[in-house]
Structures are given as structure tokens and as C-alpha cells.
Amino acid sequence: TNKDLPSWDWMGGTNAGYNYSVIQDAIDAAAAGECILVAPGTYTERLQMREDIGLRGTGGSDETFLVTSRSPAINVEFDQKRALVVVSGFTVVMNKSVPSGRGIEVSSSDVALTDMVFENFVMGVRLYDTEGSFQDLTLTDNSYGVLVNEGSDIWLQDVLISSHLGQGISVTDSA
């Protein structure tokens, strides 16, 4: 299933005129249905997504970088509620000399990822009981690309997985 992107109506970033200099502060302030526009640049933080919001790097993955030393770099997990989260236009990098942690971890939610790059993680993308669409996704220099666990239903288009030590895509189910 292909998830539609919501309209963008929140702003975040460090440029003049933006409301927040820390992406997580903008996420925490956003209401359901709102989206955060992030100015091009490099952001050093770990993100905990909130229910039914979007996050878009306005410069795309070529100009908007999320660099972290903590895992997962982007966490999407909600207690006993399915929610839609849309993330677009970022290069997400683990800031360690060897691959470590997860780029994005999604549990029991719906997610749409577009124009995303994940580099230098043990696992670029981990999905558990998730429905999602992934378009224009690049996973490179990770130990493993995508791990799809129990109950997940995903749609992939224009996904490049390269330079991995292990599997590009691994699908498991306990059923």
C-alpha cells in the first residue's frame, strides 16, 4: 500500500524564520496531522517521533543530515495505538568508526519513507508489525539493510541496498 504524504505546515531548523533550532523540540510541539519542515544542514540528535506527524528535510537527502551516536537514530513506537508517521529528505548517519545500532526502528505503526539514506548502521531499517511504503531509499555501508519482522506489510519502490556485510533484506515471521 502506498501512503500519501500529508501537507506540510510546521517548520523547524536553524535558518532565520524557523521556529526551532532542535528537530526534537519541533516534534514535541507538533499536533497530530502537522508536519515539520527542516532546513538544509547537519543535525546531531536522536529523534523520537510522535503520532500522526510528518518530518521533511527541505533540501532533500543531499542537503539535510541527521548524525547520531545513539540508536535508533529515528524511533517510531507508540503504546497500543497505530499511527502514521512520514519521514522524507534526510541522510541518516551513525557517527562511529564501525556500523552500530539502527537507523530507523518502527514498531506497530504505519510509516512512509521517501528520499532517505541510511549509512553505517548494523541495521539500516528495522520494522516490526508495521505497514509502510518506502520510495527512493538508499541503504549503504550498513551490516544489514532492512529487517522485516512479524506482521509487517511493506511496499518498496526505487530502493538501493549496497555495501552490506550481511543480508540486504531479511523477512521473518513467527506465524
Side-chain angles (χ1 to χ4, degrees):
T1 229
N2 186 3
K3 304 293 180 193
D4 293 325
L5 297 177
S7 60
W8 308 106
D9 55 10
W10 266 77
M11 296 176 24
T14 57
N15 287 354
Y18 282 75
N19 301 333
Y20 301 94
S21 61
V22 176
I23 299 170
Q24 188 64 55
D25 290 347
I27 291 170
D28 293 344
E34 293 183 320
C35 297
I36 301 153
L37 294 176
V38 179
T42 299
Y43 301 86
T44 306
E45 53 186 301
R46 176 184 181 270
L47 304 179
Q48 175 63 52
M49 297 301 291
R50 294 200 35 243
E51 300 168 0
D52 297 324
I53 66 165
L55 183 66
R56 186 178 110 196
T58 60
S61 61
D62 292 336
E63 297 180 23
T64 312
F65 300 89
L66 179 63
V67 179
T68 187
S69 59
R70 296 175 35 210
S71 175
I74 303 172
N75 190 41
V76 181
E77 183 174 6
F78 309 110
D79 293 331
Q80 301 179 11
K81 180 182 179 189
R82 291 196 76 88
L84 173 63
V85 171
V86 178
V87 184
S88 176
F90 287 86
T91 290
V92 184
V93 180
M94 176 56 79
N95 189 20
K96 293 192 176 183
S97 61
V98 295
S100 178
R102 294 166 309 282
I104 186 167
E105 183 164 358
V106 184
S107 296
S108 302
S109 296
D110 299 337
V111 66
L113 299 178
T114 60
D115 184 25
M116 298 289 294
V117 177
F118 293 94
E119 297 178 359
N120 200 37
F121 291 96
V122 168
M123 194 174 306
V125 176
R126 181 190 177 272
L127 308 171
Y128 179 83
D129 187 26
T130 296
E131 291 186 18
S133 63
F134 304 90
Q135 185 173 3
D136 298 321
L137 185 68
T138 300
L139 299 114
T140 187
D141 297 324
N142 300 295
S143 295
Y144 299 90
V146 178
L147 175 62
V148 181
N149 286 87
E150 307 173 9
S152 294
D153 182 13
I154 63 170
W155 174 83
L156 303 170
Q157 180 178 344
D158 297 325
V159 175
L160 172 65
I161 301 173
S162 67
S163 300
H164 290 286
L165 299 174
Q167 299 160 331
I169 298 176
S170 176
V171 180
T172 63
D173 195 342
S174 64

